[in-house]
Each structure stands twice: as C-alpha cells, then as structure tokens.
Amino acid sequence: MTHLFPTYDRFPIDLVSGTGVHLTDATGQTYLDMTSGIGVCSFGYAHPAITAAVSDQMTRLWHTSNLYASALQEHTADLLATPAQRVFFCNSGTEANEAALKLARKATGRTQVLAFNNGFHGRTFGAMSMTGNPSIREGFGPLVPDIQFADYNDPAAVTAITPALAAVILEVIQGEGGVYPADTTWLTAIAAACHQNGVLLIVDEVQTGIGRTGTRFGYQQYGLTPDIVTCAKALGNGLPIGAMIGSAALAPAFGPGVHGSTFGGNLLALAAASAVLTALTPDFLAQVQHKAIGVWQQLTTEIAPLPAVTGVSGRGLMIGIHLAPDRPVTTVIRQLQAAGVLTLAAKHNTLRLLPPLISTPAELNLGLTTIANVLKEEPHESL
Ligand SMILES: *Cc1c(COP(=O)(O)O)cnc(C)c1O
C-alpha cells in the first residue's frame, strides 16, 4: 500500500544510483539516461567537480538565513548574471516565475500579463495561472486574475501587447507543451512590442537554460534582451535551486522585505550551482553545439523518416520526436525502458529527449539508434 498521494503515474523502476549518463535501479538493471531527471542533471550523475563542491560545503555549513551576507550567493549570482542584472535565489522553477510575476506587477504598477497557450510555468497559483494548459488549471479556480493568453507563434499576439500589460511571459522553446521552438521573426516582433509599450519581457528558461539548447540561455540564440529571466532545473544539477534574474533597473521594486524565501539561496544548493556554472564554460557549450549537430543529423536521417514519426523539433539537446497516433508515447517509453534507455513525454504525443549535456557522441548515437529500432517495431507491441 502506498502512503503517497497519487499525484504521479510512476513507472515501476526505482533508480538508486548513477554515474555519468548511466543509472541503475534497485534490481541492478542499468539504463542510458536521456532525461536528466527532467532536464535537471545536465552534468550527469556523480559529476566529480559538482560532487566535490557539495561534499565540501556539506562539512562546513548547510544553511544560514538571508539575514546575513553571503559570499557564496554573491559569487553564484556573479557567475549567473551580467553586471547589469540582479539575481533572486529561490528553490524551483515555479518559485522563480512567482518572483517574476510579483516583480513585474510591483515594478510597473500594472496588473495584466500576457502568457501563451501550450506554455508551462509551474504549479503554484501565479505560475499555474500563467500556464496555458487548461488541464493543469482545472478545478483550482479562482486563479490569479488579469492573465490573458495568446497563441504561440501567432502574429496576432504581437498586437495584443499594449501599455496596459505589466509583462509578457514565454518560453523560447515550449518544453512541456511539446518541444515547440518560437519563430525568430515572431519572437523578435514580440520583444520589440514589449519594448515599445514599456512591457517587461519575462523569458522562462527553466527548461531551456543552463546550456540545454547549446548556449547558456536559449534566448541568446534569438538575440533577445529580456527584462527578467527565470531559471531552475539544471542550475543545481539535482539540488533544488531556482533563480530570477532581472535587469538592475528593476532592483528598487524588490527592496528589503518585499519578497523572500527561507531556503532560497541555500548553501548546499549554491555550492552545486556555482560548480555547475563554473563547468558551463564557452568550450563546454561549443562541445554541446558540436554534439547537437550529430544528433540532428541522425534525427533527420534515421528518425524523422520513420512511419511512426510525424516530425522532429527542438534545438541543441532539447529534442521532441512527434509520434504518430498509433504509437502512444507512454508505450514507446516503456518499450525503450525495456531496451535500457530512459526517455520522457511531452504534450501532443511527443517523445521528449533531454539527455545529459555530458553525453558523448557515442552515447547519444546509441540512444537514438535504440529509439529508431523501437520505433521500427510494429505498433501492436504490448508492454
Ligand atoms: C519545469 C518547468 C517549470 C516549473 O519548475 P519546477 O521546478 O517544477 O517548479 C517552469 N517552467 C518551465 C519552462 C519548466 O519546464
């Protein structure tokens, strides 16, 4: 009998240890990981430098409060942001988006926010209210008011940006929504309309950030300068940490006592985050980009043409394989588990891959080859 709320439909695999990109379950079965948790463990498992940084911090101090100065917080913020930005540390993606929503309203004195259908920003009230997926919001109303939705990549959204808005919030690639990237021209027009109307542009980089798409943040590939960036998932490589990064001009709106968090900026999580950011060098990112070229070649030549596949989308090592209706993604995930490869789902019957960024070309190739082989099987496979 379970003592847990049934909030998750869990696979019967209990992962108990991991090294590099390999995970082992309680029965001793090993798996090639193409999930990174859900985009969290981008530096894989038991990463030497990150593990050493956390172990070292563990022996000294786990927690203090935000009532005291913190060189480690300053150092991590320095690694994360530019001199023209400020950072607020929290514990998750949803909290980073809550902070962004609060800051946007406080700084502009406006209440309206434009978000996008199919977008995902988290499960607390503010973040959920900005999430463009009715099934996530259903039954929890009344939600936070003054949040409107437009269609992603729809030019009509640009005209919906008026001086009445405090902010526009979006992902540059909708992750949970099915790994759909923004069109560059559309996103450029959205950013320009925000700028012209004094509307803050919040880019949710919780999934796309920290190297996932081949650059530190996904928005860099769109030439954007967001007012606020939110970040979490891969920031701590598995220790819970989120961050809201805002332009320094917004700092007066978040003065002492305006917002806060007991655990935000926790020392163990910061030790992990500073090690992650230190490892996320331009050279490391160049390697991710290089590996992504091979991955996209293989996706294009070996996976996209399969009858089981209707398309592939994404950027860098954030990959969506859109499956035909006769191949339900959960069944494919189970078949891949049996074949020793862990994968994820996203909306619209999408097989989502977020492999650790440290995966070697050979490991990525093996994962994709296994996926291709499973997708070549007949759809009647019952697992
Ligand atoms: C996962 C995710 C969130 C929520 O992050 P949590 O840490 O689960 O609260 C928010 N935005 C995006 C884009 C995400 O992928």
Side-chain angles (χ1 to χ4, degrees), residues 15 22 26 40 45 51 73 114 118 146 168 179 257 261 280 293 307:
L15 299 166
H22 296 101
V40 169
Y45 307 95
T51 305
Q73 258 191 49
L114 179 68
N118 221 25
D146 288 357
V168 170
V179 197
S261 164
L280 195 73
I293 293 170

Side-chain angles (χ1 to χ4, degrees), residues 14-25 29-31 33 41 43-48 51 237 342 358:
D14 188 0
L15 299 166
V16 293
S17 67
T19 323
V21 301
H22 296 101
L23 287 162
T24 304
D25 73 14
Q29 173 80 41
T30 62
Y31 302 88
D33 178 39
C41 304
F43 283 87
Y45 307 95
H47 184 280
T51 305
N237 205 54
L342 301 183
I358 56 154

Side-chain angles (χ1 to χ4, degrees), residues 265-356:
N266 171 269
L267 294 172
L268 287 180
L270 284 170
S274 63
V276 163
L277 294 167
T278 302
L280 195 73
T281 59
D283 182 52
F284 181 85
L285 291 168
Q287 286 174 41
V288 173
Q289 288 170 24
H290 183 73
K291 289 185 280 197
I293 293 170
V295 161
W296 284 93
Q297 263 163 8
Q298 194 175 357
L299 284 165
T300 310
T301 58
E302 291 176 30
I303 290 183
L306 298 173
V309 175
T310 61
V312 291
S313 63
R315 223 174 236 244
L317 293 183
M318 180 167 179
I319 300 152
I321 300 173
H322 306 280
L323 301 177
D326 66 341
R327 300 303 296 264
V329 64
T330 308
T331 308
V332 171
I333 288 173
R334 286 179 198 277
Q335 289 174 302
L336 284 164
Q337 287 167 353
V341 177
L342 301 183
T343 56
L344 294 162
K347 226 176 140 189
H348 302 123
N349 208 31
T350 305
L351 182 68
R352 179 171 41 148
L353 310 180
L354 299 170

Side-chain angles (χ1 to χ4, degrees), residues 16-237:
V16 293
S17 67
T19 323
V21 301
H22 296 101
L23 287 162
T24 304
D25 73 14
T27 72
Q29 173 80 41
T30 62
Y31 302 88
L32 176 68
D33 178 39
M34 298 192 95
T35 68
S36 305
I38 302 179
V40 169
C41 304
S42 286
F43 283 87
Y45 307 95
H47 184 280
I50 301 168
T51 305
V54 174
S55 307
D56 177 58
Q57 185 63 46
M58 182 99 79
T59 62
R60 285 186 288 127
L61 189 65
W62 298 11
H63 176 82
T64 175
S65 79
N66 286 305
L67 300 173
Y68 301 97
S70 169
L72 185 53
Q73 258 191 49
E74 293 287 351
H75 175 63
T76 311
D78 193 42
L79 292 170
L80 188 58
T82 68
Q85 293 174 318
R86 299 291 178 266
V87 178
F88 175 81
F89 285 112
C90 52
N91 308 287
S92 67
T94 199
E95 283 185 28
N97 287 325
E98 290 293 326
L101 173 61
K102 288 180 71 175
L103 177 60
R105 283 188 168 176
K106 191 90 171 175
T108 61
R110 307 172 191 169
T111 60
Q112 304 272 342
V113 172
L114 179 68
F116 290 93
N117 291 319
N118 221 25
F120 183 79
H121 301 295
R123 304 276 193 166
T124 53
F125 263 90
M128 173 177 66
S129 300
M130 300 189 292
T131 286
N133 179 347
S135 71
I136 284 175
R137 302 193 305 251
E138 206 176 280
F140 293 117
L143 301 178
V144 173
D146 288 357
I147 294 166
Q148 14 168 328
F149 291 89
D151 283 336
Y152 197 67
N153 282 333
D154 180 359
V158 180
T159 50
I161 299 170
T162 67
L165 292 181
V168 170
I169 183 165
L170 52 80
E171 298 153 88
V172 294
I173 301 173
Q174 290 190 325
E176 301 300 314
V179 197
Y180 293 111
D183 297 337
T184 304
T185 39
W186 177 77
L187 196 45
T188 307
I190 292 280
C194 286
H195 191 71
Q196 280 154 22
N197 290 285
V199 175
L200 299 176
L201 177 61
I202 304 170
V203 176
D204 178 341
E205 292 271 358
V206 171
Q207 192 160 150
T208 47
I210 317 298
R212 176 52 56 191
T213 69
T215 46
R216 174 179 264 245
F217 291 112
Y219 73 77
Q220 294 171 306
Q221 294 179 53
Y222 288 90
L224 304 181
T225 44
D227 300 285
I228 299 174
V229 177
T230 57
C231 170
K233 289 199 166 93
L235 181 57
N237 205 54

